[in-house]
Amino acid sequence: MKTELLQRQALTMKTKGKKGPQPSTLIVFATFSTDKKGNKSQNNVSLPELKDNVSIRLNKYIDEKIFAGKNQEYFLLRDVNCDGYANLLLIGLGDEKLLSAEKIRLAVGGLSQFLKTQKIGRALLDVESIKSVDTSLAIKALTEGILLGAYEFNELKSDKKNADSNKVTLLVENESEEILQGYKEGLVVAECTNFAKRLGDLPGNFLTPSILAKEAQKASAGTGIKFEAWNLARIKKEKMGGLLCVNQGSKEEPRFIIMEYRGAGAKEKPFVLVGKGLTFDTGGISIKPSAHMDEMKYDMCGGAYVIGALLAIAKLKLKINAIALVPATDNMPSDTATKPGDVYTARNGKTFEVLNTDAEGRLILADALSYASELKPRAIIDAATLTGAMALALGNIHTGYFTRSDFFSQEIEKAGTRAGEAVWRMPLCDHHLDDIKGIVADISNISHHKGAGASTAAAFLEHFVEPGIPWAHFDIAGTAWAAGNRLSYVPKKGASGIMVRTFVELAKAASLKGNFAQE
Ligand code: BES
Ligand code: ZN
Ligand code: ZN
């Protein structure tokens, strides 16, 4: 699916010029406000000069509540010759007073699949009726909703179709700065999120640590990002004991991916994004049950999503220095694999005992967070499909995050709201640190107590962040995958891309405020 912007006054010229296939379908939005009793009191279907027969039919359907304008409701009238278009599609936005950028994203999230099933290749979308949301945000949300909703992972099917030539043209009043800005941001964010989703969807044999690094390197070309990926020898030299411990049982070499974007002066402290790049998690010697183990190919989504966010930050040319760090390996059982009880030393010198080899994400993040701290950053965030406990606690709507900083927490809440992604602060306190005290080493990689598994995992990570650096850990185990039963623009099964938008918003906030550390 492609999108383009078209100014209203250019429309007639374009239609007359008849360059290329013309849109067959006109899409308009319908918003409905309700009175106190919840009855529809007024509808706002912004229609062009309709032929009488079209508007009579339409009003009848609206009066009979066949089409009620609810958010994500689609209503197609075929062969009506509406303003010269063969078909007319109405999309409900819901109550105008409750309209938000996220509601717009949701309303168009199913559009490209709908057009596909209706065999409609080209459509013109009239955005005029969206008035209650800031224009730039509305255009951004529309573009994101359409392009995110169009994403499909079918490259491994033998009968995959040729490149998708479908296109939706967004008809706008003018090409003002705010419209162009919203459109550009929407394009970049959707493109980078879809890139990250593809990495998440690729199975373990198609996405080894070295392939992940190559894909990230390819995507960095032309963005101004400085790319580096350390190999096994370098990782050993850098004393990354956590990453080496997890990689111990694998034939695949690990990688430590470093992507650096400079959008501000050399003295500006960087904003560092760390992501878990576990390309397949069998559990290792503490092996996982077979059922659904296939889904552990998405254990690298934290890595994919920070790579996607950094690409977006660079493509949007945000005035900030930002660095993405992704420790990448798979977690395999073999005669060389780490055994329960083994002790290793992480990069910052702390020793840990591996009481369960399936709690591996925290071990590879340990080195990445230590390295991040050495970069003297203004803030660190990390994203990881870290614990089943997180998925159990919050399901697939809210992404749980942990931070000791109330100020940083407020910034995260605001960024989540701006992005239209739901975040929820989870507890992290000294009791959780007590729960992971080591027996023969400094720390243990699992808790000595039942419960609070997501918090004790966060406490483990905290050992590797230098005190004083604002840090937040996002456990995306519940939201990284299969959140499409909630969100129309997210695949039903497969990588969701959730949190890429929030991370980009956080980077934007950091570029404006300069520092997250003020309390
Ligand atoms: N990758 C898993 C966490 C996970 C589980 C992500 C389900 C997505 C869905 C992680 O490496 C893991 O196995 N964690 C263990 C930790 C436990 C052994 C303390 C878990 O959550 O069961
Ligand atoms: Zn695991
Ligand atoms: Zn894992």
Side-chain angles (χ1 to χ4, degrees), residues 364-382:
I364 68 171
L365 289 171
D367 294 326
L369 290 169
S370 303
Y371 183 71
S373 300
E374 293 163 27
L375 300 172
K376 303 279 169 247
R378 68 178 54 188
I380 303 174
I381 57 154
D382 77 73

CSV table of all heavy atoms in Angstrom, one decimal, residues 364-382:
chain,number,residue,atom,x,y,z
A,364,ILE,N,21.9,-10.8,28.9
A,364,ILE,CA,22.5,-10.1,27.8
A,364,ILE,C,22.3,-8.6,27.9
A,364,ILE,O,23.1,-7.8,27.5
A,364,ILE,CB,22.0,-10.7,26.4
A,364,ILE,CG1,20.5,-10.4,26.2
A,364,ILE,CG2,22.2,-12.2,26.3
A,364,ILE,CD1,20.1,-10.7,24.8
A,365,LEU,N,21.2,-8.2,28.6
A,365,LEU,CA,20.9,-6.8,28.8
A,365,LEU,C,21.9,-6.2,29.8
A,365,LEU,O,22.2,-5.0,29.8
A,365,LEU,CB,19.5,-6.6,29.3
A,365,LEU,CG,18.4,-6.8,28.2
A,365,LEU,CD1,17.0,-6.8,28.8
A,365,LEU,CD2,18.5,-5.8,27.1
A,366,ALA,N,22.4,-7.1,30.8
A,366,ALA,CA,23.3,-6.6,31.8
A,366,ALA,C,24.5,-5.9,31.2
A,366,ALA,O,24.8,-4.8,31.5
A,366,ALA,CB,23.7,-7.8,32.6
A,367,ASP,N,25.1,-6.6,30.2
A,367,ASP,CA,26.3,-6.0,29.5
A,367,ASP,C,25.9,-4.8,28.7
A,367,ASP,O,26.7,-3.8,28.7
A,367,ASP,CB,26.9,-7.1,28.6
A,367,ASP,CG,27.5,-8.2,29.3
A,367,ASP,OD1,28.0,-8.1,30.5
A,367,ASP,OD2,27.4,-9.4,28.8
A,368,ALA,N,24.8,-4.8,28.1
A,368,ALA,CA,24.4,-3.7,27.2
A,368,ALA,C,24.1,-2.5,28.1
A,368,ALA,O,24.5,-1.3,27.7
A,368,ALA,CB,23.1,-4.1,26.4
A,369,LEU,N,23.5,-2.7,29.3
A,369,LEU,CA,23.2,-1.6,30.2
A,369,LEU,C,24.5,-1.0,30.8
A,369,LEU,O,24.6,0.2,31.0
A,369,LEU,CB,22.2,-2.0,31.3
A,369,LEU,CG,20.8,-2.2,30.8
A,369,LEU,CD1,19.9,-2.9,31.8
A,369,LEU,CD2,20.1,-0.9,30.3
A,370,SER,N,25.4,-1.9,31.1
A,370,SER,CA,26.7,-1.5,31.6
A,370,SER,C,27.4,-0.6,30.6
A,370,SER,O,27.9,0.5,30.9
A,370,SER,CB,27.7,-2.7,31.9
A,370,SER,OG,27.0,-3.5,32.8
A,371,TYR,N,27.4,-1.1,29.3
A,371,TYR,CA,28.0,-0.3,28.2
A,371,TYR,C,27.3,1.0,28.0
A,371,TYR,O,28.0,2.1,27.9
A,371,TYR,CB,28.0,-1.2,26.9
A,371,TYR,CG,28.7,-0.5,25.8
A,371,TYR,CD1,30.1,-0.3,25.8
A,371,TYR,CD2,28.0,0.1,24.7
A,371,TYR,CE1,30.8,0.3,24.8
A,371,TYR,CE2,28.7,0.7,23.7
A,371,TYR,CZ,30.1,0.8,23.7
A,371,TYR,OH,30.7,1.5,22.7
A,372,ALA,N,26.0,1.0,28.1
A,372,ALA,CA,25.2,2.2,27.9
A,372,ALA,C,25.6,3.2,29.0
A,372,ALA,O,25.7,4.4,28.7
A,372,ALA,CB,23.7,1.9,28.0
A,373,SER,N,25.8,2.7,30.3
A,373,SER,CA,26.1,3.6,31.4
A,373,SER,C,27.5,4.3,31.1
A,373,SER,O,27.7,5.5,31.5
A,373,SER,CB,26.2,2.9,32.7
A,373,SER,OG,24.9,2.3,33.0
A,374,GLU,N,28.4,3.5,30.5
A,374,GLU,CA,29.7,4.1,30.2
A,374,GLU,C,29.7,5.3,29.2
A,374,GLU,O,30.6,6.1,29.1
A,374,GLU,CB,30.7,3.0,29.6
A,374,GLU,CG,31.0,1.9,30.6
A,374,GLU,CD,31.5,0.6,29.9
A,374,GLU,OE1,32.1,0.8,28.8
A,374,GLU,OE2,31.4,-0.5,30.5
A,375,LEU,N,28.6,5.3,28.4
A,375,LEU,CA,28.5,6.4,27.4
A,375,LEU,C,28.0,7.7,28.0
A,375,LEU,O,27.8,8.7,27.3
A,375,LEU,CB,27.5,5.9,26.3
A,375,LEU,CG,27.8,4.7,25.5
A,375,LEU,CD1,26.7,4.2,24.6
A,375,LEU,CD2,29.1,4.9,24.7
A,376,LYS,N,27.9,7.7,29.4
A,376,LYS,CA,27.4,8.9,30.1
A,376,LYS,C,26.2,9.5,29.5
A,376,LYS,O,26.2,10.7,29.1
A,376,LYS,CB,28.6,10.0,30.2
A,376,LYS,CG,29.8,9.5,30.8
A,376,LYS,CD,29.8,9.5,32.3
A,376,LYS,CE,30.9,8.8,33.0
A,376,LYS,NZ,30.6,7.6,33.7
A,377,PRO,N,25.1,8.8,29.4
A,377,PRO,CA,24.0,9.2,28.6
A,377,PRO,C,23.1,10.2,29.5
A,377,PRO,O,23.2,10.2,30.7
A,377,PRO,CB,23.2,7.9,28.4
A,377,PRO,CG,23.6,7.1,29.5
A,377,PRO,CD,25.0,7.4,29.9
A,378,ARG,N,22.2,10.9,28.8
A,378,ARG,CA,21.2,11.7,29.5
A,378,ARG,C,20.1,10.8,30.1
A,378,ARG,O,19.5,11.1,31.1
A,378,ARG,CB,20.6,12.8,28.6
A,378,ARG,CG,19.7,12.3,27.5
A,378,ARG,CD,19.2,13.4,26.7
A,378,ARG,NE,20.2,14.2,26.2
A,378,ARG,CZ,20.0,15.4,25.6
A,378,ARG,NH1,18.8,15.8,25.4
A,378,ARG,NH2,21.0,16.1,25.1
A,379,ALA,N,19.9,9.7,29.4
A,379,ALA,CA,18.9,8.7,29.9
A,379,ALA,C,19.0,7.4,29.1
A,379,ALA,O,19.6,7.4,28.0
A,379,ALA,CB,17.4,9.3,29.6
A,380,ILE,N,18.6,6.4,29.8
A,380,ILE,CA,18.7,5.0,29.1
A,380,ILE,C,17.2,4.5,29.2
A,380,ILE,O,16.6,4.5,30.2
A,380,ILE,CB,19.6,4.0,29.8
A,380,ILE,CG1,21.0,4.6,29.9
A,380,ILE,CG2,19.6,2.7,29.1
A,380,ILE,CD1,22.0,3.7,30.8
A,381,ILE,N,16.8,3.9,28.1
A,381,ILE,CA,15.6,3.1,28.1
A,381,ILE,C,16.0,1.7,27.6
A,381,ILE,O,16.9,1.6,26.7
A,381,ILE,CB,14.4,3.6,27.3
A,381,ILE,CG1,14.7,3.9,25.9
A,381,ILE,CG2,13.8,4.9,27.9
A,381,ILE,CD1,13.5,3.8,25.0
A,382,ASP,N,15.3,0.7,28.1
A,382,ASP,CA,15.5,-0.6,27.4
A,382,ASP,C,14.2,-1.3,27.2
A,382,ASP,O,13.2,-1.0,27.9
A,382,ASP,CB,16.4,-1.5,28.3
A,382,ASP,CG,15.7,-2.1,29.5
A,382,ASP,OD1,14.9,-3.0,29.3
A,382,ASP,OD2,16.0,-1.6,30.6
